[in-house]
Amino acid sequence: MTERQPLFVGGSWVEPDGGHYEVIDPASEETVGWAPEASRDQVLAACAAAREASGPWSRTAPEERAAVLGRAAGIIAARLKEYASLAQAETGATLGTARAMQVGVAAARFRRHARVEPAEWAITPQINEAGPMGKAGVMGALAVRQPVGVVTCVTSYNNPWANPAGKVAPALAMGNTVVVKPAPQDPLSVYRMAQALEEAGAPPGVVNVVSGRSTGVGEAAVASPDVDMVSFTGSTAVGRRIAEVCGRDMKRQLMELGGKGAAVVFDDADLRSAVAGIGTTFSFYSGQICTAPTRVLAQRGIHDRLVEQLAAYADRLKVGDPREPDTVVGPVISAAHRDRVESYVELGRKEGAVVVAGGERPDLPRGFYVAPTLLADCTHAMRVVREEIFGPVVAVVPFDDEEEGIALADDTDYGLIDYVWSGDVARAFRVARRLRAGGVGVNTVGRNMEAPFGGFKKSGVGRDVGSYALHAYSEVQAIVWPG
């Protein structure tokens, strides 16, 4: 896996002006491959190629676009083991995660958007009075979804298959063309996705991929005058900068940003279910996921038992080489990120939190590992409770009654996904409706892949997934005529 990867621009594989840089396996610290460093001119060339291809692709029949996506899904599924091996090497994901939740979900998303859906719908005719805009009479109308144009997709490092697929598949299905700027830590998988789309028959310029460690690569891909929309997954701080650039030209935006998900656990909750759900913060992507229930709000009646059971759960998880079948927690993405997560654990200690599980670096010879860590005796004023850590760290805060639980859950800049555990289903749904979050899991951390996904507040702008993604990557046009 140590080849030097070219860029993909305008249907051609192009050598990068900026040379190549190493992609490091976070488990072994060995070289996975060499990723291309695009120049600003090459990024702009990719945007121009997408613009040139935009008109013809948007006029292609939806069934033909769907056929390309369906073939791409088949190619990805057929190469599951190969692609998962690369994803695992780039990200440090466990084998099950790499196969099912990274490559498997990517194939499913291409397959989902190979399903043609209506792009127009009739509006109820309206009888108009005579006036300055025309004669009296019945006016008919039609709402039509039109492609936005050229979409720059800036993707996250935690899932280099499912996240790009969730942007590229619906964008292409709607007749847009794309320029994908993958995260610098693990871009090689995204080039494999582009290769699959090329083999599936995507015309030149419809899909372009440009990578690099320089911030100039992403800036050029966002600011290019050929770009009509930016779809970004990443931190709130970077999302804010992208929004400022987009605002100057009124570019459309889809932003999936940070999170600090609250898990509100009531006294009557099924603690086994709550512990298993909250425990995914320790294991799933090693906590590097914005939807994780990292901020546990425990009603006092079950607080001590929940802390005890979460600590026992964390201590049972095997941390180590993700290629070993019994490993549950792999490494975080880099040494720098490991240091950042560890600095938050130390900050929690200084703030007065008690480390009841983890807190020390695992004794492993190599790799960027963080032990599943549980912080108790927290207050909601602590930075470890309020700020996104993006690692296998959970903080627990007690609360007394329903109103306080809701108030604490909403006392945050974020609002991506929250969770409620209660044996009283009516109360659980009542609380869920009051929480200021784009999604709420009731007695589960599972997802419905047709449900809209996105955040309130500083967790993002817009919604995607399923049919909602088709709305996100389209403009709605009204056509009106006299009846």
Side-chain angles (χ1 to χ4, degrees):
M1 294 186 188
T2 56
E3 75 275 7
R4 293 180 181 268
Q5 174 67 52
L7 302 166
F8 189 55
V9 177
S12 298
W13 296 95
V14 180
E15 286 302 306
D17 291 342
H20 292 80
Y21 66 92
E22 280 185 290
V23 176
I24 302 298
D25 183 332
S28 67
E29 302 186 46
E30 296 176 353
T31 301
V32 177
W34 296 82
E37 183 79 41
S39 66
R40 182 177 183 275
D41 286 345
Q42 287 179 313
V43 176
L44 296 179
C47 297
R51 170 61 64 201
E52 184 176 354
S54 177
W57 179 249
S58 68
R59 293 189 293 272
T60 300
E63 292 77 11
E64 292 182 38
R65 299 196 297 262
V68 171
L69 298 178
R71 289 192 293 270
I75 292 168
I76 292 169
R79 297 174 184 167
L80 175 67
K81 291 184 179 179
E82 173 194 342
Y83 288 164
S85 178
L86 175 59
Q88 190 175 34
E90 286 194 286
T91 65
T94 60
L95 183 59
T97 296
R99 288 185 177 180
M101 302 308 298
Q102 295 190 358
V103 182
V105 169
R109 285 179 168 173
F110 277 103
R111 194 176 300 113
R112 161 64 179 83
H113 290 292
R115 189 171 79 209
V116 178
E117 294 189 23
E120 58 185 51
W121 58 97
I123 297 173
T124 303
Q126 179 179 343
I127 299 175
N128 289 348
E129 301 290 338
M133 298 301 292
K135 298 179 180 179
V138 177
M139 301 299 293
L142 191 68
V144 181
R145 279 203 301 248
Q146 298 278 17
V148 179
V150 176
V151 181
T152 286
C153 303
V154 183
T155 67
S156 60
Y157 74 72
N158 59 347
N159 196 326
W161 278 96
N163 183 263
K167 300 177 185 297
V168 172
L172 297 187
M174 275 307 310
N176 302 286
T177 56
V178 297
V179 176
V180 186
K181 193 281 175 187
Q185 298 93 332
D186 49 11
L188 301 178
S189 290
V190 182
Y191 285 102
R192 296 297 186 278
M193 186 181 296
Q195 182 183 39
L197 283 160
E198 181 188 31
E199 292 179 25
V206 168
V207 178
N208 306 269
V209 184
V210 289
S211 59
R213 292 178 297 181
S214 165
T215 57
V217 175
E219 289 172 358
V222 168
S224 166
D226 286 314
V227 170
D228 301 293
M229 174 180 171
V230 176
S231 176
F232 172 70
T233 300
S235 72
T236 298
V238 175
R240 185 182 293 112
R241 292 201 296 271
I242 290 174
E244 290 170 355
V245 174
C246 290
R248 292 199 292 265
D249 295 318
M250 301 301 290
K251 294 180 181 181
R252 300 299 180 258
Q253 304 164 45
L254 178 61
M255 297 280 185
E256 197 262 283
L257 307 176
K260 191 71 176 179
V264 185
V265 185
F266 287 98
D267 286 346
D268 60 355
D270 178 344
L271 288 192
R272 178 178 294 184
S273 172
V275 168
I278 295 163
T280 60
T281 302
F282 301 133
S283 57
F284 195 43
Y285 299 129
S286 301
Q288 299 167 112
I289 183 166
C290 51
T291 58
T294 58
R295 187 169 51 108
V296 176
L297 307 177
Q299 198 165 17
R300 291 191 187 276
I302 49 88
H303 174 273
D304 292 350
R305 282 188 293 143
L306 181 60
V307 168
E308 180 182 353
Q309 292 182 31
L310 279 171
Y313 185 97
D315 288 337
R316 287 196 301 269
L317 301 178
K318 179 186 174 182
V319 181
D321 186 345
R323 293 170 181 82
E324 295 181 2
D326 59 342
T327 292
V328 180
V329 182
V332 296
I333 194 67
S334 66
H337 190 58
R338 177 190 60 193
D339 294 347
R340 179 181 182 275
V341 175
E342 288 179 341
S343 73
Y344 267 103
V345 175
E346 184 58 30
L347 173 63
R349 284 191 175 102
K350 292 178 179 177
E351 289 181 313
V354 175
V355 179
V356 294
E360 302 296 332
R361 183 176 297 183
D363 184 17
L364 295 165
R366 62 186 61 85
F368 312 128
Y369 293 96
V370 176
T373 299
L374 181 66
L375 303 176
D377 291 353
C378 296
T379 70
H380 217 263
M382 293 178 178
R383 286 178 59 192
V384 289
V385 175
R386 305 193 67 82
E387 299 177 12
E388 185 176 40
I389 299 173
F390 218 61
V393 180
V394 171
V396 184
V397 177
F399 73 92
D400 288 310
D401 55 28
E402 182 176 313
E403 289 301 318
E404 184 185 14
I406 294 169
L408 289 174
D410 285 343
D411 183 19
T412 174
D413 288 338
Y414 298 109
L416 188 56
I417 294 187
D418 286 342
Y419 305 88
V420 180
W421 269 274
S422 174
D424 182 342
V425 175
R427 173 168 68 176
F429 275 85
R430 180 174 70 243
V431 172
R433 288 178 179 276
R434 290 185 59 188
L435 295 177
R436 296 291 296 165
V440 181
V442 173
N443 294 324
T444 184
V445 292
R447 293 262 307 279
N448 181 317
M449 298 312 292
E450 288 295 315
F453 179 74
F456 287 12
K457 297 183 277 189
K458 293 181 182 178
S459 283
V461 177
R463 296 292 183 273
D464 64 357
V465 176
S467 296
Y468 295 92
L470 299 178
H471 288 284
Y473 291 97
S474 61
E475 298 276 24
V476 179
Q477 177 188 59
I479 300 175
V480 181
W481 64 91

